[in-house]
Amino acid sequence: MKTFSIGEVAKELNLTVYTLRYYDKEGLMPFVERTASGTRLFKKSDIDALRVIECLKSTGMPIKEIKNFIDWCSDGDATLKQRYDMFMERKANVEAQIEELKKTMELIEHKCSYYKTALEAGTEEIHKNNKIGTSITP
Amino acid sequence: MKTFSIGEVAKELNLTVYTLRYYDKEGLMPFVERTASGTRLFKKSDIDALRVIECLKSTGMPIKEIKNFIDWCSDGDATLKQRYDMFMERKANVEAQIEELKKTMELIEHKCSYYKTALEAGTEEIHKNNKIGTSITP
DNA sequence: TTAATCCTTATAGTTAACTCTAGGTCAAGT
DNA sequence: ACTTGACCTAGAGTTAACTATAAGGATTAA
């Protein structure tokens, strides 16, 4: 079976080898095998697992919690419920994050048009006697 | 004009007084006035400005960059272009973040259904002979 | 007036997630 | 044989963003 070096995996996932070794140290990759002399041998499935880890990371999940999940995976079917619950919670969490970003977007877009108008007028003064709340400070 | 104490502002914005003082130290609130004895007096407009700061923070903007923006605000009309460009860049950035989260969401949802099926079957084995790529490791 | 409850500064400590260095091993090429 | 470059570990250093502590000053309520 084809295997990959830590350098190859780092390139593939846009991570550094330092980061991968750090993840390993934190217990995120107990499944990665080694040669007799200690060099890591990554399988295709290990890279897939790392993609899942990156996915969880991108939801803002801290590494220690990701480790819990990895441990549950090693523990087998007894932890299916925990893992299901975890992903359901992640789902709700990501939905909330998207909503939050959409709210943020509204204010950002307001600022874009505020500055567009000001830029066209050459001065922010144009907004100064706007008292009806269409502008947001500053 | 009505003013607010640091404690009131902290409560209003769901921040701690430590955080607000930290922001001040980092130069994010040069507009906040003080009493003769040094106590901060926040105006309504200062709270609005802090909301904008929180908005920028929620886009993932580091505090040092937010400080640049605050400095530009103090510099007046000469910096309108920078500020406009900054918000346009933030807009693109937030759009990208939302897209990223939507991609993340797809994998998370896949995992939810993967574990739902496994949970119903009582075992992950149910997915083991699925070779057509509808499952994602682990 | 005295106690409580704010506020202040300066400075130290914490946490997460890297990021790097030093010193060493190993396999391939010249 | 030797050099090059990628790998290894242990452990130190970095950065951002808080978070807390110590020591003290001001304001209010009994």
Side-chain angles (χ1 to χ4, degrees), chain A residues 52 58 77 104 123-124 137, chain B residues 52 58 77 83 104 123-124 137:
Chain A
V52 174
S58 75
D77 289 338
T104 294
T123 175
E124 239 178 311
T137 314
Chain B
V52 173
S58 76
D77 288 339
R83 289 186 266 164
T104 295
T123 175
E124 238 177 314
T137 316

Side-chain angles (χ1 to χ4, degrees), chain A residues 16-71:
Chain A
T16 67
V17 294
Y18 299 138
T19 304
L20 284 171
R21 290 200 194 106
Y22 166 68
Y23 287 175
D24 198 5
K25 211 188 302 189
E26 295 299 309
L28 262 42
M29 304 152 37
F31 41 75
V32 175
E33 297 184 14
R34 306 281 191 120
T35 63
S37 59
T39 300
R40 290 172 187 85
L41 295 175
F42 292 79
K43 297 184 292 293
K44 181 77 185 58
S45 66
D46 297 342
I47 298 178
D48 288 341
L50 279 165
R51 278 191 223 277
V52 174
I53 288 171
E54 286 305 286
C55 169
L56 290 173
K57 220 160 53 81
S58 75
T59 73
M61 197 173 194
I63 279 170
K64 281 186 181 166
E65 272 176 54
I66 299 177
K67 183 188 161 22
N68 290 341
F69 167 66
I70 296 296
D71 290 346

Side-chain angles (χ1 to χ4, degrees), chain B residues 116-132:
Chain B
K116 185 161 184 292
T117 311
L119 206 48
E120 279 160 9
T123 175
E124 238 177 314
E125 290 299 317
I126 198 93
H127 292 289
K128 287 286 158 62
N129 31 2
N130 186 336
K131 301 295 187 197
I132 52 169

